[in-house]
Amino acid sequence: MKCPACGSRDSRVLDSRPVEEDASIKRRRECPVCGKRFTTYEVVDTVPVTVIKRSGKREFFDKHKLTLGIARACQKRPVDPEEVANSIESELQNSILNEITSRDIGDMVLLRLRDLDIVSYIRFASVYREFKDIDSFMAEIRRINQQNRSKKTVSPDAEDKSVEK
């Protein structure tokens, strides 16, 4: 690290501590040439993810905007919208993609909400999938019920009884 006083390219770290909820590191340094002490901050450099909207418009991923949309669907429900948004943001940052469609992000939200709270899922799906009438709601509820029935497995007791016969 270059000293801001004398320009020496060498410095000694005196103290390091995490800051901003462990998102960066604050380092207190000292220049061995001039003795000047200074502070540096180390942060992870992330590549911004571009979201391609339905209209074709492109904009940078905005976790706050996503959180607000999820919060509307989860209002008065036992779901933490911030946690869902953090999970999606983390997945996007850890992927090799630098562009994603808004549809794909919506699907990511739906997958998480389906596992967390079915009411929040239906609320989000109604806006995301643009339900036009009650039949759209009912079709989605039937689809979810069908999936839940197919996920249920036969209990071990039921298998034992069928083997005994």
Side-chain angles (χ1 to χ4, degrees):
M1 183 61 61
K2 186 176 169 183
C3 174
C6 72
S8 172
R9 294 200 177 269
D10 194 21
S11 66
R12 184 171 73 110
V13 176
L14 302 173
D15 182 42
S16 290
R17 64 181 64 174
V19 291
E20 296 177 21
E21 298 178 10
D22 294 337
S24 61
I25 297 175
K26 178 181 179 178
R27 296 197 195 279
R28 192 74 184 132
R29 297 176 178 270
E30 181 179 52
C31 176
V33 175
C34 70
K36 168 89 172 150
R37 290 185 175 192
F38 58 99
T39 303
T40 60
Y41 292 88
E42 212 175 281
V43 294
V44 175
D45 188 22
T46 58
V47 175
V49 176
T50 302
V51 178
I52 305 168
K53 308 295 272 181
R54 288 180 186 176
S55 66
K57 180 182 169 193
R58 291 173 173 351
E59 60 184 52
F60 289 125
F61 173 77
D62 183 355
K63 186 181 88 166
H64 179 69
K65 187 174 176 181
L66 178 64
T67 304
L68 290 175
I70 296 168
R72 279 186 225 110
C74 299
Q75 190 171 13
K76 296 184 181 180
R77 301 299 305 163
V79 176
D80 181 4
E82 188 77 29
E83 190 177 306
V84 176
N86 285 342
S87 168
I88 291 169
E89 180 184 43
S90 178
E91 184 176 334
L92 291 175
Q93 288 177 346
N94 292 329
S95 74
I96 58 172
L97 302 173
N98 59 1
E99 284 190 342
I100 189 165
T101 64
S102 58
R103 176 174 290 282
D104 289 339
I105 292 174
D107 289 342
M108 293 167 79
V109 172
L110 287 174
L111 281 173
R112 285 161 175 80
L113 290 180
R114 186 180 65 206
D115 294 338
L116 294 172
D117 182 60
I118 200 68
V119 173
S120 298
Y121 170 88
I122 292 293
R123 287 176 177 175
F124 189 86
S126 70
V127 174
Y128 169 67
R129 293 197 176 140
E130 299 176 346
F131 292 171
K132 302 288 185 216
D133 53 26
I134 192 84
D135 293 332
S136 303
F137 275 96
M138 294 306 295
E140 186 66 22
I141 291 169
R142 278 190 222 101
R143 192 177 68 74
I144 292 168
N145 281 336
Q146 187 71 31
Q147 287 177 343
N148 287 343
R149 278 192 225 115
S150 66
K151 283 184 182 178
K152 290 183 181 177
T153 58
V154 178
S155 69
D157 293 338
E159 287 180 12
D160 290 343
K161 290 177 184 175
S162 64
V163 173
E164 290 176 11
K165 290 183 180 178

